[in-house]
Amino acid sequence: MNILFYVAAAIAIVSSIAAITRSHAIHAILFLVVSFVSISLVFYTLGAPFIAALEVITYAGAIMVLFMFAIMLLNLGAHAVQRERQWQPRIVWAGSGLLSLILLAQLAWTFSFGKAQTGSLPVAPSQVGAALFGTYLLGVELASMLLLAGLAGAYYLGKRSGEPEHPKGGADGNGPA
Amino acid sequence: MATVPLSHALLLSAALFAIGLAGVITRRNMILVLLSAEIMLNAAGLAFVAAGSRWLAPDGQIMFLFILTTAAVEVSIGLALVLRQNHLAKSLDIDAAGSMKG
């Protein structure tokens, strides 16, 4: 099973790099789906089957579909990829790549000490559920309030400006244009 | 069950975080900036799960659940803002958001 971890890790890193460098937004999203699925495999090998399932359902499923819908709604057209290439000449990656490499080197140096192994037993979903609705119940309540705030905010921001609050006209909703 | 060294799992998390950081700094398309932020959040969650696996404790997975919730809310608000900004400024350039009014 060890080899599974390293193969999945390599796929995750390569597809994440591909995702942030694509000019076509849809291609970037599809690469990120590949990355999330392989990270889900990493979670499975680390003994977190519940989180592996959630990664596929929520990240690779729901959140990426949300991105897809946003791009479809934007209706970008054919010249979007061309403009994207114009925005991102290769030279702009030098500075940010250097900064990220410095950060990565520091983190790698910090993590390279210690001989600890990850667990030999999976942490079962029942254990996670018992802790989630026991010790962390307050966190669950706070998360529900955060989700409600997100719902209200997305509804408010998603409304087109200039539209009336209540459409005038008949009960069928076909108000004057 | 794999018993990989904890440092390797943390290194994977650090590499993904660095990739996401490079994306956030470099990209000008607002959607791809949000996408890179997702990579960073996911990398942080991976570090939590790896640490939870080290001590065979469910706490790491619970932190991942909270990160997941935050990421979902952040993306829904962020994409609503992107749609609004594209409607007003006719551009996805993140520099165009400098002239945003309330």
Side-chain angles (χ1 to χ4, degrees), chain B residues 4-85:
Chain B
V4 293
L6 178 64
S7 59
H8 290 184
L10 290 178
L11 271 177
L12 172 63
S13 152
L16 289 172
F17 191 88
I19 291 168
L21 180 66
V24 167
I25 296 173
T26 313
R27 297 308 297 237
R28 278 177 72 183
N29 188 330
M30 276 196 261
I31 290 188
L32 284 152
V33 171
L34 280 176
L35 212 68
S36 308
E38 285 304 303
I39 299 178
M40 291 167 77
L41 282 169
N42 205 35
L46 177 60
F48 272 114
V49 173
S53 166
R54 160 70 179 82
W55 281 283
L56 295 178
D59 306 67
Q61 299 190 27
I62 287 165
M63 283 304 148
F64 185 88
L65 279 174
F66 290 147
I67 291 174
L68 195 78
T69 315
T70 317
V73 173
E74 175 247 330
V75 157
S76 60
I77 297 278
L79 286 176
L81 276 172
V82 167
L83 289 177
R84 190 63 175 269
Q85 177 70 16

Side-chain angles (χ1 to χ4, degrees), chain A residues 9-23 27-28 31-32 34-35 39 93 100-101 104, chain B residues 15-20 22-23 27 32 35-36 39:
Chain A
I11 294 174
I13 288 174
V14 169
S15 55
S16 296
I17 290 174
I20 62 161
T21 49
R22 290 305 94 184
S23 300
H27 294 177
F31 270 116
L32 206 60
V34 173
S35 167
I39 291 172
W93 288 97
S100 303
L101 275 180
L104 180 60
Chain B
L16 289 172
F17 191 88
I19 291 168
R27 297 308 297 237
L32 284 152
L35 212 68
S36 308
I39 299 178

Side-chain angles (χ1 to χ4, degrees), chain A residues 6 20 46 84 96 117-118 136, chain B residues 3-4 8 26-27 53 59:
Chain A
Y6 291 108
I20 62 161
L46 286 177
E84 193 72 28
S96 65
Q117 299 276 316
T118 52
Y136 292 98
Chain B
T3 50
V4 293
H8 290 184
T26 313
R27 297 308 297 237
S53 166
D59 306 67

Side-chain angles (χ1 to χ4, degrees), chain A residues 65-128:
Chain A
V65 166
L66 207 60
F67 272 105
M68 276 300 195
F69 269 122
I71 288 175
M72 300 296 174
L73 279 174
L74 286 174
N75 209 0
L76 290 175
H79 66 285
V81 178
Q82 197 61 40
R83 193 188 48 203
E84 193 72 28
R85 289 217 178 90
Q86 213 175 7
W87 278 353
Q88 305 288 161
R90 280 177 201 283
I91 188 72
V92 298
W93 288 97
S96 65
L98 185 69
L99 280 175
S100 303
L101 275 180
I102 291 171
L103 175 74
L104 180 60
Q106 283 180 335
L107 287 173
W109 187 75
T110 315
F111 292 152
S112 60
F113 304 109
K115 299 274 187 291
Q117 299 276 316
T118 52
S120 50
L121 288 170
V123 180
S126 54
Q127 277 174 276
V128 179

